[in-house]
Amino acid sequence: MTKRIAALLLAAAMAVCSLTGCGGGGNNSETGGTSETAAAAGEAKDTLTVVMASDAASMDSADTIDVYSQMVYGNILETLVVLDENGEVAPGLAEYEMLDDVTYQFKLQEGVKFHNGEEMKASDVAFTIRRGCESPVLNYLFSEVDPDTIEVVDDYTVKFSLRNPSAPFLVNLTCSPAGIVSEKAVTEAGDNYGMNPVGTGPYKFVSWQQGTEIRLEAFEDYHGEKAKIKNLVIRLIPEGTNRTIELESGGADIACDIPTTDISRVEADENLQLESIVSYATTFLGFNCEAEPFDDVRVRQAVCYALDYEGITQSIMQGYAEPATTPVSSELLFNDETVEHIPYDPEKAKELLAEAGYPDGFDMVITTDERKERNDIATIAQSQLAEVGINVTIDSMEWAAFLDKVYAGEAQSYVLGWSSAVPDPDMVCYSCFHSSMIGNGNNNVARINDPQIDEYLDLGRTSFDTETRAQAYSDLYHYLAEAVPWDMMWVDSKYVGLASDVQGFEMDPMGAYKFANVSFQ
């Protein structure tokens, strides 16, 4: 089976044209050539060039939470609280206090400036939280906040209450989408704010040439330790090997998402460094549970039985990822290794299809973005599902358009990855499977509406007892293994290539990297 899958991948690769050119960026002043020339002349390099797989969908944290957007605005925005080196919640822009089990008070650092020169005040924090309450995308963070309780106590103190106790609330506030924005900047920019983000972070926004590059610059009035490199250029190169080539040629200092086929190549190059981490992300084939025929659990199960998820993982990831059985990474809290994936059994798939009224199969569309691994999943699925009578059409789209289609509920099925920004499972599970998160831009793109799932999720969120939470998530994972809104494929590992003179870079299990501490040797 594995050899046949590999042959399918080879055929698919030969049929796919490169998605982008990859000229030698080292000679182009727009891609870091200026700093290379300066280095040759004995001057310090002042530009860090990073290449990533997809463009940001928006730089407004209330509009999108995809990893590529977060990798940009996560360097622009800062949060009230952060995770320390031990994974504990610690003060960020503010000291915090729990006045009771639902009431929180934050005392802000004084003198912190936004990139527009305005001092951050409690009114900006209150504005950010109210905005989060109104944003469907941020429902998973702010849905428990009662907006009527948000109170600006004084210029540097804000207080509010939750509708219900929430064990993960504080840890969820450490992620970039909860970053504090300037009320003045958002109000003045209006609908254009997503193209003109303003935060308090170590880098400030300069320009965005959509589909090509994003430029940031170190913020001179930053309240903390300033970014070590003045200019940050993030370039978009969808095809993985082209990112590797750009790193090898000197056109990039950091290449994100090194494909599995290039890992050994980067490791062997004495002029490069390879960093890796088991991520908080999983990759899966998702179903729209409101759309026929996937509104029938037997059909979803049949697809799972028809796909050799372990063989798919091995062939595509070549041993650099582990097959997944739950929607959360093995690195998250309350993971349960006893959950079993539906096994590969095409005959069982045919039986279920016949029971569901599809003895001759049906037509389905798998929608993907441009990432090679996700297209490979769709290609293999197309072949394996044909064996049980399911005719698959693959619709591969640009990242932002792909997200629009999936979030609008217009994709029948889709290949996607989902990552948590924190080690708590609530960020994945509640966001993606609770019925309150269906539609209107919310993150339950599987559109599964199941009272039993909601019960497990509500218990996992509202209880502060560790054993109770662990049991709630265990029960949830076993239930989802049968309900299969997602057919799990693998737990992602992140691989990043660095030029030999890059130091201070830290891996992030979500893949939304921060660059303020990066410098050149």
Side-chain angles (χ1 to χ4, degrees):
M1 179 57 65
T2 301
K3 291 182 178 179
R4 191 172 66 80
I5 292 175
L8 284 169
L9 288 178
L10 178 60
M14 294 174 64
V16 176
C17 295
S18 174
L19 296 172
T20 182
C22 58
N27 295 321
N28 185 336
S29 63
E30 290 298 306
T31 58
T34 299
S35 57
E36 292 293 339
T37 303
E43 301 174 14
K45 292 170 63 175
D46 65 356
T47 299
L48 178 70
T49 301
V50 179
V51 290
M52 68 178 184
S54 294
D55 201 355
S58 170
M59 277 177 275
D60 184 352
S61 54
D63 278 350
T64 185
I65 57 169
D66 71 282
V67 66
Y68 303 110
S69 299
Q70 287 197 50
M71 198 167 86
V72 181
Y73 67 64
N75 287 277
I76 296 171
L77 305 180
E78 292 181 300
T79 51
L80 294 172
V81 288
V82 297
L83 288 180
D84 64 17
E85 62 275 9
N86 298 315
E88 300 294 330
V89 176
L93 290 174
E95 299 276 349
Y96 70 91
E97 182 180 2
M98 285 188 70
L99 303 181
D100 55 45
D101 61 356
V102 295
T103 306
Y104 295 78
Q105 181 168 281
F106 294 88
K107 288 192 173 292
L108 308 184
Q109 293 185 43
E110 297 186 23
V112 175
K113 288 187 177 180
F114 284 111
H115 301 151
N116 60 1
E118 299 287 325
E119 185 183 6
M120 179 188 67
K121 296 288 184 67
S123 57
D124 296 296
V125 174
F127 173 80
T128 300
I129 294 170
R130 287 194 184 97
R131 197 166 180 255
C133 293
E134 296 168 358
S135 166
V137 170
L138 298 182
N139 246 351
Y140 72 105
L141 296 179
F142 295 106
S143 62
E144 296 291 356
V145 175
D146 181 352
D148 293 333
T149 67
I150 300 172
E151 177 187 353
V152 175
V153 178
D154 57 44
D155 278 353
Y156 302 102
T157 308
V158 65
K159 182 173 68 172
F160 57 86
S161 297
L162 308 184
R163 295 184 178 91
N164 301 288
S166 175
F169 179 72
L170 273 177
V171 71
N172 285 349
L173 284 188
T174 67
C175 70
S176 294
I180 303 304
V181 299
S182 162
E183 179 177 9
K184 180 178 180 180
V186 174
T187 302
E188 289 181 348
D191 292 341
N192 293 322
Y193 177 74
M195 296 291 292
N196 300 277
V198 173
T200 63
Y203 278 104
K204 66 179 182 179
F205 174 77
V206 175
S207 64
W208 183 9
Q209 186 178 349
Q210 289 182 293
T212 303
E213 70 171 30
I214 298 165
R215 286 180 169 261
L216 308 181
E217 182 180 272
F219 181 38
E220 287 300 317
D221 289 330
Y222 182 58
H223 60 94
E225 184 178 348
K226 293 179 174 60
K228 293 180 169 58
I229 299 176
K230 179 180 179 181
N231 302 300
L232 173 60
V233 178
I234 301 174
R235 295 174 52 216
L236 300 316
I237 300 180
E239 206 284 317
T241 293
N242 284 354
R243 290 194 299 278
T244 304
I245 293 171
E246 198 73 352
L247 180 68
E248 292 171 329
S249 71
D253 302 299
I254 299 176
C256 302
D257 297 324
I258 295 294
T260 55
T261 51
D262 290 348
I263 289 173
S264 59
R265 170 176 163 180
V266 174
E267 284 181 313
D269 192 325
E270 63 182 12
N271 296 313
L272 303 178
Q273 310 170 63
L274 183 74
E275 298 287 342
S276 65
I277 193 171
V278 177
S279 81
Y280 288 168
T282 52
T283 293
F284 56 88
L285 171 65
F287 305 107
N288 183 339
C289 299
E290 289 182 345
E292 293 183 357
F294 298 121
D295 55 345
D296 189 327
V297 66
R298 293 170 297 182
V299 175
R300 302 196 298 270
Q301 290 174 343
V303 171
C304 296
Y305 277 112
L307 295 179
D308 178 11
Y309 84 107
E310 290 183 327
I312 292 172
T313 296
Q314 177 60 34
S315 294
I316 296 175
M317 302 307 291
Q318 300 181 20
Y320 291 109
E322 291 297 321
T325 60
T326 75
V328 299
S329 164
S330 54
E331 298 298 296
L332 293 190
L333 296 171
F334 311 129
N335 182 51
D336 187 342
E337 296 181 355
T338 68
V339 179
E340 295 183 358
H341 192 288
I342 287 178
Y344 177 55
D345 187 345
E347 292 306 313
K348 178 66 173 179
K350 292 177 183 177
E351 291 177 16
L352 286 170
L353 288 174
E355 288 179 18
Y358 299 96
D360 300 319
F362 57 89
D363 295 338
M364 68 177 283
V365 178
I366 299 177
T367 304
T368 75
D369 66 282
E370 299 167 322
R371 288 186 61 171
K372 182 180 183 299
E373 293 88 349
R374 295 178 185 175
N375 279 275
D376 288 345
I377 289 173
T379 299
I380 298 171
Q382 185 179 51
S383 175
Q384 293 187 345
L385 291 173
E387 296 179 6
V388 298
I390 300 175
N391 179 45
V392 173
T393 300
I394 300 171
D395 181 18
S396 182
M397 307 177 70
E398 176 271 332
W399 176 243
F402 166 76
L403 288 180
D404 286 345
K405 185 170 185 176
V406 172
Y407 270 80
E410 296 171 356
Q412 187 185 37
S413 66
Y414 46 89
V415 182
L416 189 58
W418 201 273
S419 180
S420 178
V422 299
D424 195 284
D426 175 86
M427 185 169 287
V428 175
C429 296
Y430 195 93
S431 177
C432 294
F433 303 119
H434 198 278
S435 63
S436 66
M437 298 287 136
I438 296 175
N440 299 317
N442 285 296
N443 299 319
N444 184 349
V445 293
R447 295 176 174 258
I448 189 163
N449 186 341
D450 188 316
Q452 184 60 71
I453 292 175
D454 287 355
E455 183 177 329
Y456 293 140
L457 290 169
D458 290 337
L459 181 58
R461 169 171 278 203
T462 59
S463 176
F464 285 86
D465 180 73
T466 299
E467 291 185 3
T468 299
R469 297 193 75 206
Q471 187 61 55
Y473 287 112
S474 175
D475 291 341
L476 172 70
Y477 302 147
H478 282 89
Y479 190 87
L480 289 174
E482 294 297 322
V484 286
W486 296 354
D487 185 11
M488 304 309 307
M489 292 295 160
W490 61 72
V491 175
D492 291 2
S493 288
K494 301 292 184 184
Y495 294 88
V496 175
L498 314 172
S500 59
D501 62 344
V502 172
Q503 62 182 5
F505 175 79
E506 294 184 7
M507 292 296 292
D508 174 64
M510 181 181 176
Y513 305 109
K514 306 287 179 65
F515 301 104
N517 292 325
V518 175
S519 62
F520 295 114
Q521 293 177 344

